[in-house]
Structure formats: structure tokens, C-alpha cells
Amino acid sequence: MKIEGYVTDKNHVPITKALIEVKDENFVTLFSTESNDDGYYVLDIPTGLYPFLTAVKDYGVNFLEYWCQNISLQADMSLNLSFDKLEIYGLHVFSVKGAGNSLMVYFRPMSLPKFQQGMQDIAPDNIVIKASIDDQEVRIINTNSVKEFAGGCELSAYLIQIETTESDVPWQKFDIQITDADNHYGAATIYNN
């Protein structure tokens, strides 16, 4: 089976020699490839469930990572990837029974400039969040800042609520994009299996 697509920056400019890796639940790399001069990549891998796919170039120097989670590869698929100086880590999407027509989304954003400055909490300030379900943009109805304790320090995360058309909406793909006050960008994807 194939996973293929294009790797671009926030302005949709192709990124050459980006490293794309498929990883197991312990973050061990199972398969990898690089994007070509057009930003195109292809992974020819066995059918199966793959917990993580990442894409990056010059990690911690010029960019942070793009993450995709829960890929159930049963047929060839197209997946376009984009990254910049922000990263969305720990993305989870879930419903709360009896909470109306919505989904809850949890993630921890990270900022390369804050990482490079050696800050403990590297969440970007003043982010704008966009979300889509199955390639249709959805309305964010509530945004909550959350503190998470990890690695011996307190980190900033977000819990957002998005509006759906029904209480138990059947979704397959959830995409999130963030932009900070300096126009840095990050994106992530999660599949619902």
C-alpha cells in the first residue's frame, strides 16, 4: 500500500528533503522516506494500523514537526503534510456523552523560537486555531487554556470544543492548524479508527 502526498511550508512552497517517518506506539521508526525537489513523497508499506507519521526538516533549527496519528492503511492514500515553526503535540479528539452537538479536542502547542530561547513552557502566545472534520472547516465554540505537568515542569496546552451537526458525529479525519502572533504556523492530523 502507498501513502503519498506533498510536503509544504505555511505558504504552500514545496519542502525538499523533508524526512517523513512512520512510527510505532513507542515512537520507533518503522519506515521512512524523503520528499523530492517538488515536495512529493511516497511510502510503500504493508497494510496495517500505524500510530504515528511525522514530517520535519532541520528539527529544532528551522522547523518543528508535523504529526499525523492513527493511520489505518487499508488502501492507497493521499496525505499532504505541512510544517513551520510551531508544532501540535499530543492531539486527541473525543466526544463527551450528553454534552450536545460537539467534540472536544486536546493538544499541546510548541514554539520553535521559545524552544531556542531555552524556555520551559514553549507554548506560543496568542494563537489562532482552525479545525476541520473530513476537510470541512468547523466552528470552535470554546477555547480553554490548560496546564499539563510533564517532564518535571508545567506546560501549556489547550482543550477546545468544536461544533458538530449531531451529538455522535461519525468523523474519519480531523485536521488542526494554529498560527501565532508572529505568523508562525503548525498543523496536525488525526484519524478516527
Side-chain angles (χ1 to χ4, degrees), residues 60-79:
V61 177
N62 293 312
F63 300 106
L64 290 181
E65 288 176 303
Y66 164 90
W67 285 82
C68 180
Q69 294 172 230
N70 300 339
I71 296 173
S72 179
L73 189 61
Q74 304 303 317
D76 291 348
M77 69 180 289
S78 177
L79 180 63

PDB file of all heavy atoms in Angstrom, residues 60-79:
ATOM      1  N   GLY A  60      14.295  21.680  15.188  1.00  0.00           N
ATOM      2  CA  GLY A  60      14.854  22.496  16.256  1.00  0.00           C
ATOM      3  C   GLY A  60      15.759  23.609  15.785  1.00  0.00           C
ATOM      4  O   GLY A  60      16.200  24.433  16.587  1.00  0.00           O
ATOM      5  N   VAL A  61      16.056  23.644  14.489  1.00  0.00           N
ATOM      6  CA  VAL A  61      16.893  24.702  13.921  1.00  0.00           C
ATOM      7  C   VAL A  61      16.023  25.659  13.113  1.00  0.00           C
ATOM      8  O   VAL A  61      15.980  26.859  13.377  1.00  0.00           O
ATOM      9  CB  VAL A  61      18.014  24.108  13.035  1.00  0.00           C
ATOM     10  CG1 VAL A  61      18.836  25.217  12.390  1.00  0.00           C
ATOM     11  CG2 VAL A  61      18.896  23.172  13.842  1.00  0.00           C
ATOM     12  N   ASN A  62      15.313  25.108  12.109  1.00  0.00           N
ATOM     13  CA  ASN A  62      14.445  25.932  11.264  1.00  0.00           C
ATOM     14  C   ASN A  62      12.965  25.585  11.403  1.00  0.00           C
ATOM     15  O   ASN A  62      12.108  26.404  11.081  1.00  0.00           O
ATOM     16  CB  ASN A  62      14.844  25.788   9.793  1.00  0.00           C
ATOM     17  CG  ASN A  62      16.203  26.365   9.524  1.00  0.00           C
ATOM     18  OD1 ASN A  62      16.504  27.482   9.933  1.00  0.00           O
ATOM     19  ND2 ASN A  62      17.058  25.610   8.852  1.00  0.00           N
ATOM     20  N   PHE A  63      12.665  24.355  11.845  1.00  0.00           N
ATOM     21  CA  PHE A  63      11.280  23.888  11.890  1.00  0.00           C
ATOM     22  C   PHE A  63      11.031  23.015  13.113  1.00  0.00           C
ATOM     23  O   PHE A  63      11.969  22.489  13.714  1.00  0.00           O
ATOM     24  CB  PHE A  63      10.961  23.030  10.655  1.00  0.00           C
ATOM     25  CG  PHE A  63      11.123  23.728   9.339  1.00  0.00           C
ATOM     26  CD1 PHE A  63      12.200  23.434   8.515  1.00  0.00           C
ATOM     27  CD2 PHE A  63      10.191  24.660   8.915  1.00  0.00           C
ATOM     28  CE1 PHE A  63      12.344  24.052   7.284  1.00  0.00           C
ATOM     29  CE2 PHE A  63      10.326  25.293   7.694  1.00  0.00           C
ATOM     30  CZ  PHE A  63      11.401  24.991   6.870  1.00  0.00           C
ATOM     31  N   LEU A  64       9.748  22.829  13.417  1.00  0.00           N
ATOM     32  CA  LEU A  64       9.292  21.765  14.308  1.00  0.00           C
ATOM     33  C   LEU A  64       8.508  20.776  13.450  1.00  0.00           C
ATOM     34  O   LEU A  64       8.373  20.961  12.244  1.00  0.00           O
ATOM     35  CB  LEU A  64       8.453  22.330  15.449  1.00  0.00           C
ATOM     36  CG  LEU A  64       9.229  23.164  16.486  1.00  0.00           C
ATOM     37  CD1 LEU A  64       8.293  23.661  17.586  1.00  0.00           C
ATOM     38  CD2 LEU A  64      10.375  22.374  17.101  1.00  0.00           C
ATOM     39  N   GLU A  65       7.953  19.727  14.068  1.00  0.00           N
ATOM     40  CA  GLU A  65       7.373  18.618  13.310  1.00  0.00           C
ATOM     41  C   GLU A  65       5.883  18.764  13.006  1.00  0.00           C
ATOM     42  O   GLU A  65       5.144  19.391  13.745  1.00  0.00           O
ATOM     43  CB  GLU A  65       7.521  17.308  14.110  1.00  0.00           C
ATOM     44  CG  GLU A  65       8.924  16.798  14.177  1.00  0.00           C
ATOM     45  CD  GLU A  65       9.044  15.561  15.040  1.00  0.00           C
ATOM     46  OE1 GLU A  65       8.662  15.624  16.224  1.00  0.00           O
ATOM     47  OE2 GLU A  65       9.530  14.543  14.522  1.00  0.00           O
ATOM     48  N   TYR A  66       5.494  18.090  11.947  1.00  0.00           N
ATOM     49  CA  TYR A  66       4.093  17.791  11.651  1.00  0.00           C
ATOM     50  C   TYR A  66       3.840  16.380  12.176  1.00  0.00           C
ATOM     51  O   TYR A  66       4.666  15.484  11.992  1.00  0.00           O
ATOM     52  CB  TYR A  66       3.850  17.831  10.136  1.00  0.00           C
ATOM     53  CG  TYR A  66       2.554  17.174   9.711  1.00  0.00           C
ATOM     54  CD1 TYR A  66       1.376  17.908   9.636  1.00  0.00           C
ATOM     55  CD2 TYR A  66       2.510  15.814   9.406  1.00  0.00           C
ATOM     56  CE1 TYR A  66       0.192  17.299   9.261  1.00  0.00           C
ATOM     57  CE2 TYR A  66       1.328  15.200   9.034  1.00  0.00           C
ATOM     58  CZ  TYR A  66       0.174  15.953   8.963  1.00  0.00           C
ATOM     59  OH  TYR A  66      -0.998  15.345   8.597  1.00  0.00           O
ATOM     60  N   TRP A  67       2.686  16.182  12.824  1.00  0.00           N
ATOM     61  CA  TRP A  67       2.297  14.859  13.333  1.00  0.00           C
ATOM     62  C   TRP A  67       0.979  14.420  12.718  1.00  0.00           C
ATOM     63  O   TRP A  67       0.048  15.227  12.596  1.00  0.00           O
ATOM     64  CB  TRP A  67       2.107  14.900  14.850  1.00  0.00           C
ATOM     65  CG  TRP A  67       3.380  14.950  15.625  1.00  0.00           C
ATOM     66  CD1 TRP A  67       4.137  16.069  15.897  1.00  0.00           C
ATOM     67  CD2 TRP A  67       4.053  13.854  16.240  1.00  0.00           C
ATOM     68  NE1 TRP A  67       5.225  15.726  16.631  1.00  0.00           N
ATOM     69  CE2 TRP A  67       5.206  14.371  16.869  1.00  0.00           C
ATOM     70  CE3 TRP A  67       3.790  12.487  16.319  1.00  0.00           C
ATOM     71  CZ2 TRP A  67       6.100  13.567  17.571  1.00  0.00           C
ATOM     72  CZ3 TRP A  67       4.682  11.696  17.031  1.00  0.00           C
ATOM     73  CH2 TRP A  67       5.813  12.237  17.633  1.00  0.00           C
ATOM     74  N   CYS A  68       0.891  13.139  12.389  1.00  0.00           N
ATOM     75  CA  CYS A  68      -0.367  12.506  11.998  1.00  0.00           C
ATOM     76  C   CYS A  68      -0.490  11.240  12.847  1.00  0.00           C
ATOM     77  O   CYS A  68       0.492  10.531  13.050  1.00  0.00           O
ATOM     78  CB  CYS A  68      -0.373  12.151  10.514  1.00  0.00           C
ATOM     79  SG  CYS A  68      -1.903  11.362   9.976  1.00  0.00           S
ATOM     80  N   GLN A  69      -1.693  10.967  13.333  1.00  0.00           N
ATOM     81  CA  GLN A  69      -1.909   9.826  14.207  1.00  0.00           C
ATOM     82  C   GLN A  69      -2.988   8.893  13.667  1.00  0.00           C
ATOM     83  O   GLN A  69      -3.902   9.318  12.967  1.00  0.00           O
ATOM     84  CB  GLN A  69      -2.336  10.309  15.598  1.00  0.00           C
ATOM     85  CG  GLN A  69      -1.271  11.085  16.326  1.00  0.00           C
ATOM     86  CD  GLN A  69      -1.792  11.702  17.601  1.00  0.00           C
ATOM     87  OE1 GLN A  69      -1.589  12.883  17.823  1.00  0.00           O
ATOM     88  NE2 GLN A  69      -2.451  10.933  18.442  1.00  0.00           N
ATOM     89  N   ASN A  70      -2.869   7.619  14.044  1.00  0.00           N
ATOM     90  CA  ASN A  70      -3.901   6.593  13.821  1.00  0.00           C
ATOM     91  C   ASN A  70      -4.204   6.329  12.353  1.00  0.00           C
ATOM     92  O   ASN A  70      -5.361   6.258  11.959  1.00  0.00           O
ATOM     93  CB  ASN A  70      -5.206   6.952  14.545  1.00  0.00           C
ATOM     94  CG  ASN A  70      -5.025   7.082  16.035  1.00  0.00           C
ATOM     95  OD1 ASN A  70      -4.077   6.558  16.601  1.00  0.00           O
ATOM     96  ND2 ASN A  70      -5.935   7.791  16.664  1.00  0.00           N
ATOM     97  N   ILE A  71      -3.187   6.130  11.554  1.00  0.00           N
ATOM     98  CA  ILE A  71      -3.404   5.816  10.140  1.00  0.00           C
ATOM     99  C   ILE A  71      -3.756   4.335  10.009  1.00  0.00           C
ATOM    100  O   ILE A  71      -2.973   3.474  10.372  1.00  0.00           O
ATOM    101  CB  ILE A  71      -2.165   6.134   9.293  1.00  0.00           C
ATOM    102  CG1 ILE A  71      -1.884   7.632   9.324  1.00  0.00           C
ATOM    103  CG2 ILE A  71      -2.339   5.637   7.865  1.00  0.00           C
ATOM    104  CD1 ILE A  71      -0.581   8.020   8.659  1.00  0.00           C
ATOM    105  N   SER A  72      -4.947   4.063   9.500  1.00  0.00           N
ATOM    106  CA  SER A  72      -5.350   2.696   9.188  1.00  0.00           C
ATOM    107  C   SER A  72      -5.205   2.532   7.681  1.00  0.00           C
ATOM    108  O   SER A  72      -6.058   2.967   6.910  1.00  0.00           O
ATOM    109  CB  SER A  72      -6.798   2.448   9.623  1.00  0.00           C
ATOM    110  OG  SER A  72      -7.178   1.124   9.292  1.00  0.00           O
ATOM    111  N   LEU A  73      -4.110   1.931   7.277  1.00  0.00           N
ATOM    112  CA  LEU A  73      -3.789   1.822   5.852  1.00  0.00           C
ATOM    113  C   LEU A  73      -4.372   0.532   5.294  1.00  0.00           C
ATOM    114  O   LEU A  73      -3.812  -0.549   5.480  1.00  0.00           O
ATOM    115  CB  LEU A  73      -2.269   1.874   5.663  1.00  0.00           C
ATOM    116  CG  LEU A  73      -1.774   1.985   4.228  1.00  0.00           C
ATOM    117  CD1 LEU A  73      -2.287   3.263   3.570  1.00  0.00           C
ATOM    118  CD2 LEU A  73      -0.259   1.936   4.184  1.00  0.00           C
ATOM    119  N   GLN A  74      -5.522   0.659   4.624  1.00  0.00           N
ATOM    120  CA  GLN A  74      -6.197  -0.481   4.006  1.00  0.00           C
ATOM    121  C   GLN A  74      -6.231  -0.355   2.491  1.00  0.00           C
ATOM    122  O   GLN A  74      -6.564  -1.302   1.786  1.00  0.00           O
ATOM    123  CB  GLN A  74      -7.636  -0.589   4.545  1.00  0.00           C
ATOM    124  CG  GLN A  74      -7.713  -0.683   6.061  1.00  0.00           C
ATOM    125  CD  GLN A  74      -6.920  -1.837   6.644  1.00  0.00           C
ATOM    126  OE1 GLN A  74      -6.944  -2.952   6.137  1.00  0.00           O
ATOM    127  NE2 GLN A  74      -6.189  -1.573   7.720  1.00  0.00           N
ATOM    128  N   ALA A  75      -5.919   0.849   2.002  1.00  0.00           N
ATOM    129  CA  ALA A  75      -5.856   1.140   0.564  1.00  0.00           C
ATOM    130  C   ALA A  75      -4.867   2.287   0.399  1.00  0.00           C
ATOM    131  O   ALA A  75      -4.521   2.963   1.372  1.00  0.00           O
ATOM    132  CB  ALA A  75      -7.233   1.540   0.041  1.00  0.00           C
ATOM    133  N   ASP A  76      -4.409   2.514  -0.833  1.00  0.00           N
ATOM    134  CA  ASP A  76      -3.522   3.649  -1.077  1.00  0.00           C
ATOM    135  C   ASP A  76      -4.195   4.926  -0.589  1.00  0.00           C
ATOM    136  O   ASP A  76      -5.417   5.087  -0.722  1.00  0.00           O
ATOM    137  CB  ASP A  76      -3.220   3.772  -2.567  1.00  0.00           C
ATOM    138  CG  ASP A  76      -2.338   2.633  -3.080  1.00  0.00           C
ATOM    139  OD1 ASP A  76      -1.778   1.877  -2.262  1.00  0.00           O
ATOM    140  OD2 ASP A  76      -2.224   2.510  -4.314  1.00  0.00           O
ATOM    141  N   MET A  77      -3.410   5.818  -0.009  1.00  0.00           N
ATOM    142  CA  MET A  77      -3.989   7.060   0.486  1.00  0.00           C
ATOM    143  C   MET A  77      -3.095   8.246   0.161  1.00  0.00           C
ATOM    144  O   MET A  77      -1.887   8.107  -0.003  1.00  0.00           O
ATOM    145  CB  MET A  77      -4.260   6.994   1.990  1.00  0.00           C
ATOM    146  CG  MET A  77      -3.037   6.970   2.875  1.00  0.00           C
ATOM    147  SD  MET A  77      -3.423   6.882   4.651  1.00  0.00           S
ATOM    148  CE  MET A  77      -4.076   8.486   4.967  1.00  0.00           C
ATOM    149  N   SER A  78      -3.733   9.409   0.063  1.00  0.00           N
ATOM    150  CA  SER A  78      -3.041  10.662  -0.164  1.00  0.00           C
ATOM    151  C   SER A  78      -3.062  11.456   1.132  1.00  0.00           C
ATOM    152  O   SER A  78      -4.106  11.580   1.769  1.00  0.00           O
ATOM    153  CB  SER A  78      -3.744  11.438  -1.281  1.00  0.00           C
ATOM    154  OG  SER A  78      -3.120  12.691  -1.459  1.00  0.00           O
ATOM    155  N   LEU A  79      -1.902  11.980   1.540  1.00  0.00           N
ATOM    156  CA  LEU A  79      -1.803  12.771   2.758  1.00  0.00           C
ATOM    157  C   LEU A  79      -0.773  13.869   2.533  1.00  0.00           C
ATOM    158  O   LEU A  79       0.420  13.608   2.426  1.00  0.00           O
ATOM    159  CB  LEU A  79      -1.386  11.875   3.933  1.00  0.00           C
ATOM    160  CG  LEU A  79      -1.238  12.548   5.291  1.00  0.00           C
ATOM    161  CD1 LEU A  79      -2.572  13.122   5.770  1.00  0.00           C
ATOM    162  CD2 LEU A  79      -0.688  11.565   6.308  1.00  0.00           C
TER     163      LEU A  79
END
